[in-house]
């Protein structure tokens, strides 16, 4: 499992918030939900996205915007349009003055906006919480990454646009998986662009030596890996692997493995049914005490404190609260 695969396999990637917006000018939304990752796809019409502190960027049909949180951003028909609605954590909607917008009429399943036949149709997918193992990936992204129509060659955007408004058994699971797939395709496309400086750890996955070591550690973190064993699997000497790994990835193999194990354990600890001992066994620590000691040394808090903090911060996604902007 690599870092991008963590978006699909991470235990907290489910329950993403998906919505289709039907809009006619003038319209503007300011998003303050502090979500770590949001995708905005333009099905029809156009929109401007305005991340805080950055110049506005226009989106056209087929374009896909990747927004890295938690900083706020706005989406509007024109950069000059004042926000008519604010989106808060938990997808709570208010007017700029604080008036709740949850009682306004719906435009259908997972659909809202200011006009049922609005020329602009957007599909927005928001990850409320992401797996800990996604942290290096998020850190590698700019606040706004835009893939233009045709650049991300996938049928997933129109498919997600069609499926998001369907109300069928198991539809939430279908939408989660579609969003996951679109996110993985979008991130791979972005990191493969010639004008993007992909991080060293991402490029290293294609290295025949380092890539072998990374895959072994990712796929079986509980195994008691040594530099010698990894080097033997990669058909190089211990010194060659250690030197090459450190140069390309930025840290020695065993340090990378320790950080990978702790990131996995941070995710697994969010499952209330998991014990510290069971998590320790899954990620390669000999005991709950060994995991607790390493966890607190690196992260500054105990596994128990991490679990309690994660439970407090994992705000449940509010039910879709349709709203209609005044025009």
């Amino acid at each position: 499992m690599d870092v991008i695969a963590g978006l699909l396999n991470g235990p907290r990637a489910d329950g993403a918030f998906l919505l289709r917006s039907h809009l006619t000018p003038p319209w503007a939304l300011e998003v303050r939900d502090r979500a770590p990752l949001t995708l905005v796809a333009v099905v029809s019409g156009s929109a401007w996205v305005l991340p805080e502190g950055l110049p506005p960027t226009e989106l056209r049909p087929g374009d896909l915007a990747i927004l890295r949180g938690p900083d706020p951003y706005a989406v509007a028909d024109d950069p000059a349009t004042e926000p008519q609605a604010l989106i808060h954590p938990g997808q709570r909607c208010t007017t700029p003055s604080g008036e709740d917008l949850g009682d306004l009429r719906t435009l259908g399943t997972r659909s809202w906006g200011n006009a049922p036949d609005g020329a602009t149709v957007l599909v927005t997918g928001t990850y409320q919480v992401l797996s800990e193992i996604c942290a290096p990936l998020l850190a590698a992204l700019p606040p706004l990454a835009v893939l233009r129509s045709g650049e991300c060659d996938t049928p997933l955007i129109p498919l997600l646009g069609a499926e998001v408004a369907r109300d069928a058994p198991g539809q939430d699971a279908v939408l989660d998986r579609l969003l996951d797939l679109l996110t993985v395709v979008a991130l791979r496309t972005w990191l493969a662009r010639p004008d993007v400086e992909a991080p060293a750890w991402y490029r290293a996955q294609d290295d025949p030596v380092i890539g072998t070591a990374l895959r072994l550690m990712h796929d079986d973190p509980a195994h008691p890996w040594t530099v010698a064993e990894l080097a033997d699997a990669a058909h190089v000497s211990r010194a060659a692997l250690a030197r090459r790994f450190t140069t390309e990835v930025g840290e020695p193999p065993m340090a990378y493995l320790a950080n990978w194990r702790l990131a996995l354990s941070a995710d697994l600890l969010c499952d209330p049914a998991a014990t510290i001992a069971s998590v320790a066994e899954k990620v390669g620590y000999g005991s709950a005490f060994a995991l607790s000691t390493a966890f607190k040394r690196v992260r500054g808090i105990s596994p128990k404190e991490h679990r309690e903090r994660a439970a407090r911060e994992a705000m449940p996604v509010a039910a879709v609260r349709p709203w209609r902007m005044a025009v």
Side-chain angles (χ1 to χ4, degrees):
M1 177 173 62
D2 58 35
V3 176
I4 288 187
L7 284 171
L8 291 173
N9 299 326
R12 291 185 289 159
D14 293 333
F17 186 83
L18 279 141
L19 209 59
R20 185 170 68 178
S21 308
H22 301 258
L23 302 159
T24 192
W27 61 270
L29 319 172
E30 185 173 332
V31 183
R32 302 178 182 175
D33 61 3
R34 300 193 59 79
L37 189 66
T38 297
L39 271 66
V40 179
V42 180
V43 178
S44 63
S46 64
W48 288 83
V49 60
L50 300 91
E52 188 173 67
L54 294 178
T57 298
E58 187 176 20
L59 303 178
R60 307 294 297 178
D63 290 351
L64 179 66
I66 307 168
L67 289 140
R68 186 199 69 200
D71 293 338
Y73 64 92
V75 185
D77 70 299
D78 185 276
T81 303
E82 291 294 325
Q84 298 147 321
L86 306 183
I87 313 299
H88 302 275
Q91 302 303 316
R92 183 174 63 90
C93 302
T94 70
T95 64
S97 62
E99 179 185 352
D100 186 77
L101 290 170
D103 60 350
L104 299 177
R105 73 176 182 85
T106 181
L107 296 181
T109 302
R110 301 183 193 87
S111 298
W112 50 246
N114 65 355
D117 56 352
T120 294
V121 177
L122 309 178
V123 173
T124 302
T126 300
Y127 288 87
Q128 304 294 317
V129 184
L130 280 179
S131 167
E132 287 272 342
I133 61 177
C134 295
L137 177 60
L138 291 179
L141 291 173
L144 170 65
V146 175
L147 297 172
R148 296 300 180 183
S149 178
E151 189 176 1
C152 189
D153 188 16
T154 173
L156 289 169
I157 293 177
L159 179 59
L160 186 60
E163 288 288 331
V164 73
R166 291 190 62 192
D167 188 12
Q171 191 66 7
D172 286 344
V174 170
L175 294 173
D176 279 343
R177 298 292 73 80
L178 285 175
L179 179 61
D180 281 340
L181 288 170
L182 177 60
T183 302
V184 169
V185 170
L187 292 175
R188 288 192 316 199
T189 302
W190 173 259
L191 291 171
R193 285 176 50 158
D195 59 330
V196 171
E197 183 66 27
W201 56 262
Y202 183 82
R203 298 193 305 268
Q205 295 178 101
D206 292 330
D207 184 280
V209 172
I210 303 172
T212 297
L214 287 171
R215 282 188 291 274
L216 289 171
M217 290 187 283
H218 289 164
D219 291 343
D220 192 3
H223 184 82
W225 295 109
T226 63
V227 175
E229 189 174 8
L230 293 169
D232 184 61
H235 307 295
V236 295
S237 68
R238 286 191 306 169
L241 174 65
R243 182 173 57 252
R244 191 163 168 175
F245 195 102
T246 303
T247 299
E248 296 297 328
V249 179
E251 60 184 339
M254 292 299 99
Y256 181 92
L257 177 60
N259 288 329
W260 178 252
R261 285 170 168 167
L262 290 177
L264 290 172
S265 66
D267 284 330
L268 294 170
L269 286 164
C270 293
D271 179 359
T275 65
I276 297 176
S278 68
V279 171
E281 183 178 1
K282 287 181 179 179
V283 301
Y285 285 90
S287 66
F289 177 78
L291 172 59
S292 297
T293 300
F295 199 97
K296 188 162 187 176
R297 183 180 68 251
V298 173
R299 293 179 172 249
I301 59 174
S302 69
K304 180 181 178 182
E305 290 169 326
H306 167 77
R307 172 178 277 170
E308 292 171 349
R309 177 186 294 179
R312 290 194 303 268
E313 293 177 352
M315 180 181 299
V317 179
V320 174
R321 302 225 259 174
W323 52 275
R324 181 176 175 84
M325 295 181 294
V327 294

